[in-house]
Short mmCIF file of all heavy atoms in Angstrom, two decimals:
data_model
loop_
_atom_site.label_atom_id
_atom_site.label_comp_id
_atom_site.label_asym_id
_atom_site.label_seq_id
_atom_site.Cartn_x
_atom_site.Cartn_y
_atom_site.Cartn_z
N ALA M 1 7.40 -1.11 3.95
CA ALA M 1 8.38 -0.24 3.30
C ALA M 1 9.61 -1.01 2.82
O ALA M 1 10.32 -0.55 1.91
CB ALA M 1 8.82 0.88 4.27
N HIS M 2 9.86 -2.19 3.39
CA HIS M 2 11.05 -2.96 2.99
C HIS M 2 10.84 -3.73 1.69
O HIS M 2 11.79 -4.28 1.14
CB HIS M 2 11.43 -3.94 4.09
CG HIS M 2 10.42 -5.06 4.28
ND1 HIS M 2 9.20 -4.83 4.91
CD2 HIS M 2 10.43 -6.35 3.92
CE1 HIS M 2 8.52 -5.95 4.92
NE2 HIS M 2 9.26 -6.90 4.33
N LEU M 3 9.59 -3.77 1.17
CA LEU M 3 9.31 -4.46 -0.08
C LEU M 3 9.70 -3.55 -1.23
O LEU M 3 8.86 -2.87 -1.83
CB LEU M 3 7.84 -4.88 -0.15
CG LEU M 3 7.37 -5.85 0.92
CD1 LEU M 3 5.86 -6.15 0.74
CD2 LEU M 3 8.16 -7.14 0.91
N LYS M 4 10.98 -3.52 -1.55
CA LYS M 4 11.53 -2.52 -2.47
C LYS M 4 11.06 -2.73 -3.92
O LYS M 4 11.08 -1.80 -4.72
CB LYS M 4 13.06 -2.57 -2.42
CG LYS M 4 13.63 -2.25 -1.05
CD LYS M 4 13.18 -0.86 -0.57
CE LYS M 4 13.85 -0.49 0.76
NZ LYS M 4 13.37 0.80 1.28
N GLY M 5 10.65 -3.92 -4.26
CA GLY M 5 10.19 -4.16 -5.63
C GLY M 5 8.75 -3.74 -5.88
O GLY M 5 8.33 -3.61 -7.02
N LEU M 6 7.99 -3.52 -4.80
CA LEU M 6 6.56 -3.23 -4.92
C LEU M 6 6.30 -1.90 -5.63
O LEU M 6 6.93 -0.89 -5.33
CB LEU M 6 5.93 -3.20 -3.53
CG LEU M 6 4.41 -3.35 -3.45
CD1 LEU M 6 3.98 -4.66 -4.03
CD2 LEU M 6 3.92 -3.23 -2.00
N ARG M 7 5.40 -1.93 -6.60
CA ARG M 7 5.04 -0.72 -7.36
C ARG M 7 3.57 -0.38 -7.23
O ARG M 7 3.19 0.78 -7.35
CB ARG M 7 5.40 -0.92 -8.83
CG ARG M 7 6.89 -1.03 -9.10
CD ARG M 7 7.61 0.26 -8.76
NE ARG M 7 9.07 0.16 -8.90
CZ ARG M 7 9.90 -0.17 -7.92
NH1 ARG M 7 9.39 -0.42 -6.72
NH2 ARG M 7 11.19 -0.21 -8.12
N LEU M 8 2.71 -1.36 -7.00
CA LEU M 8 1.28 -1.12 -6.86
C LEU M 8 0.71 -2.01 -5.76
O LEU M 8 0.90 -3.23 -5.81
CB LEU M 8 0.55 -1.39 -8.18
CG LEU M 8 -0.99 -1.28 -8.15
CD1 LEU M 8 -1.41 0.14 -7.84
CD2 LEU M 8 -1.58 -1.75 -9.46
N PHE M 9 0.03 -1.38 -4.79
CA PHE M 9 -0.58 -2.16 -3.71
C PHE M 9 -2.03 -1.67 -3.53
O PHE M 9 -2.26 -0.51 -3.23
CB PHE M 9 0.20 -2.00 -2.42
CG PHE M 9 -0.40 -2.74 -1.25
CD1 PHE M 9 -0.86 -4.04 -1.38
CD2 PHE M 9 -0.52 -2.13 -0.02
CE1 PHE M 9 -1.41 -4.72 -0.35
CE2 PHE M 9 -1.08 -2.82 1.07
CZ PHE M 9 -1.53 -4.10 0.89
N SER M 10 -2.98 -2.60 -3.72
CA SER M 10 -4.37 -2.30 -3.54
C SER M 10 -4.88 -2.94 -2.25
O SER M 10 -4.77 -4.16 -2.10
CB SER M 10 -5.20 -2.77 -4.75
OG SER M 10 -6.57 -2.51 -4.52
N TYR M 11 -5.43 -2.13 -1.36
CA TYR M 11 -5.97 -2.62 -0.10
C TYR M 11 -7.39 -2.13 0.10
O TYR M 11 -7.94 -2.21 1.22
CB TYR M 11 -5.09 -2.14 1.07
CG TYR M 11 -5.08 -0.64 1.22
CD1 TYR M 11 -5.94 0.00 2.11
CD2 TYR M 11 -4.20 0.14 0.47
CE1 TYR M 11 -5.95 1.38 2.22
CE2 TYR M 11 -4.21 1.53 0.61
CZ TYR M 11 -5.08 2.13 1.48
OH TYR M 11 -5.09 3.49 1.60
N ASP M 12 -8.03 -1.67 -0.94
CA ASP M 12 -9.35 -1.05 -0.83
C ASP M 12 -10.39 -2.04 -0.26
O ASP M 12 -10.24 -3.25 -0.39
CB ASP M 12 -9.79 -0.55 -2.19
CG ASP M 12 -10.77 0.62 -2.09
OD1 ASP M 12 -10.94 1.15 -1.00
OD2 ASP M 12 -11.31 1.01 -3.15
N HIS M 13 -11.43 -1.49 0.33
CA HIS M 13 -12.54 -2.28 0.89
C HIS M 13 -12.08 -3.28 1.93
O HIS M 13 -12.55 -4.42 2.01
CB HIS M 13 -13.28 -3.00 -0.25
CG HIS M 13 -13.82 -2.07 -1.30
ND1 HIS M 13 -13.19 -1.88 -2.48
CD2 HIS M 13 -14.89 -1.26 -1.29
CE1 HIS M 13 -13.85 -0.99 -3.21
NE2 HIS M 13 -14.90 -0.60 -2.50
N ASN M 14 -11.12 -2.87 2.76
CA ASN M 14 -10.74 -3.59 3.97
C ASN M 14 -11.03 -2.65 5.13
O ASN M 14 -10.95 -1.41 4.99
CB ASN M 14 -9.25 -3.96 3.96
CG ASN M 14 -8.96 -5.19 3.15
OD1 ASN M 14 -9.17 -6.34 3.60
ND2 ASN M 14 -8.53 -4.98 1.92
N PRO M 15 -11.36 -3.16 6.31
CA PRO M 15 -11.72 -2.31 7.46
C PRO M 15 -10.51 -1.70 8.16
O PRO M 15 -10.37 -1.78 9.39
CB PRO M 15 -12.51 -3.25 8.38
CG PRO M 15 -11.94 -4.60 8.10
CD PRO M 15 -11.59 -4.60 6.63
N VAL M 16 -9.59 -1.10 7.41
CA VAL M 16 -8.41 -0.48 8.00
C VAL M 16 -8.68 0.97 8.33
O VAL M 16 -9.54 1.64 7.71
CB VAL M 16 -7.22 -0.57 7.03
CG1 VAL M 16 -6.77 -2.02 6.85
CG2 VAL M 16 -7.54 0.04 5.69
N LYS M 17 -7.96 1.51 9.32
CA LYS M 17 -8.16 2.88 9.74
C LYS M 17 -7.20 3.85 9.08
O LYS M 17 -7.44 5.06 9.07
CB LYS M 17 -8.01 2.96 11.27
CG LYS M 17 -9.08 2.18 12.03
CD LYS M 17 -8.89 2.31 13.53
CE LYS M 17 -9.97 1.55 14.28
NZ LYS M 17 -9.78 1.65 15.78
N ALA M 18 -6.10 3.30 8.55
CA ALA M 18 -5.10 4.20 7.92
C ALA M 18 -4.41 3.43 6.79
O ALA M 18 -4.33 2.18 6.84
CB ALA M 18 -4.10 4.65 8.97
N PRO M 19 -3.90 4.12 5.81
CA PRO M 19 -3.15 3.45 4.74
C PRO M 19 -1.89 2.77 5.28
O PRO M 19 -1.31 3.22 6.26
CB PRO M 19 -2.78 4.62 3.79
CG PRO M 19 -3.74 5.70 4.14
CD PRO M 19 -4.02 5.56 5.59
N PRO M 20 -1.46 1.70 4.65
CA PRO M 20 -0.25 1.00 5.11
C PRO M 20 0.99 1.83 4.79
O PRO M 20 1.00 2.67 3.90
CB PRO M 20 -0.27 -0.28 4.29
CG PRO M 20 -1.07 0.05 3.08
CD PRO M 20 -2.12 1.03 3.52
N SER M 21 2.06 1.56 5.53
CA SER M 21 3.34 2.22 5.28
C SER M 21 4.08 1.48 4.19
O SER M 21 4.34 0.29 4.30
CB SER M 21 4.16 2.22 6.58
OG SER M 21 5.42 2.78 6.34
N VAL M 22 4.40 2.19 3.11
CA VAL M 22 5.09 1.58 1.96
C VAL M 22 6.21 2.52 1.52
O VAL M 22 6.30 3.66 1.97
CB VAL M 22 4.12 1.34 0.78
CG1 VAL M 22 3.07 0.30 1.16
CG2 VAL M 22 3.47 2.65 0.36
N ALA M 23 7.05 2.01 0.63
CA ALA M 23 8.11 2.84 0.07
C ALA M 23 7.51 3.95 -0.80
O ALA M 23 6.39 3.87 -1.27
CB ALA M 23 9.06 1.98 -0.76
N ASP M 24 8.29 4.98 -1.01
CA ASP M 24 7.80 6.16 -1.76
C ASP M 24 7.50 5.85 -3.23
O ASP M 24 6.84 6.63 -3.91
CB ASP M 24 8.82 7.28 -1.69
CG ASP M 24 8.88 7.92 -0.31
OD1 ASP M 24 7.91 7.78 0.45
OD2 ASP M 24 9.91 8.55 0.03
N THR M 25 8.02 4.71 -3.74
CA THR M 25 7.81 4.37 -5.14
C THR M 25 6.51 3.59 -5.38
O THR M 25 6.22 3.25 -6.52
CB THR M 25 9.00 3.51 -5.64
OG1 THR M 25 9.20 2.41 -4.73
CG2 THR M 25 10.26 4.34 -5.69
N VAL M 26 5.75 3.34 -4.33
CA VAL M 26 4.55 2.50 -4.44
C VAL M 26 3.29 3.33 -4.68
O VAL M 26 3.07 4.33 -3.95
CB VAL M 26 4.36 1.63 -3.17
CG1 VAL M 26 3.10 0.75 -3.29
CG2 VAL M 26 5.59 0.77 -2.92
N THR M 27 2.49 2.95 -5.66
CA THR M 27 1.17 3.55 -5.84
C THR M 27 0.16 2.77 -5.02
O THR M 27 0.10 1.54 -5.10
CB THR M 27 0.77 3.48 -7.33
OG1 THR M 27 1.69 4.26 -8.10
CG2 THR M 27 -0.64 4.04 -7.54
N LEU M 28 -0.60 3.48 -4.20
CA LEU M 28 -1.60 2.86 -3.33
C LEU M 28 -3.00 3.05 -3.87
O LEU M 28 -3.31 4.08 -4.46
CB LEU M 28 -1.51 3.48 -1.93
CG LEU M 28 -0.28 3.14 -1.09
CD1 LEU M 28 -0.23 3.99 0.15
CD2 LEU M 28 -0.23 1.66 -0.72
N VAL M 29 -3.83 2.03 -3.65
CA VAL M 29 -5.24 2.10 -4.02
C VAL M 29 -6.06 1.67 -2.81
O VAL M 29 -5.97 0.54 -2.38
CB VAL M 29 -5.58 1.17 -5.22
CG1 VAL M 29 -7.07 1.28 -5.54
CG2 VAL M 29 -4.74 1.53 -6.44
N GLY M 30 -6.83 2.63 -2.27
CA GLY M 30 -7.61 2.33 -1.07
C GLY M 30 -8.01 3.58 -0.35
O GLY M 30 -7.63 4.71 -0.73
#
């Protein structure tokens, strides 16, 4: 969440159990 410049984060096809915590301005793919 502290990565304030982040706008798009793709984490798809990783063995994670839950989406990562990011700022509200970030689009997530996964």
Side-chain angles (χ1 to χ4, degrees):
H2 68 286
L3 298 179
K4 299 302 183 183
L6 198 60
R7 294 295 176 267
L8 175 64
F9 179 45
S10 178
Y11 64 94
D12 208 9
H13 303 101
N14 279 279
V16 293
K17 296 181 179 179
S21 176
V22 295
D24 289 338
T25 52
V26 180
T27 297
L28 290 171
V29 179

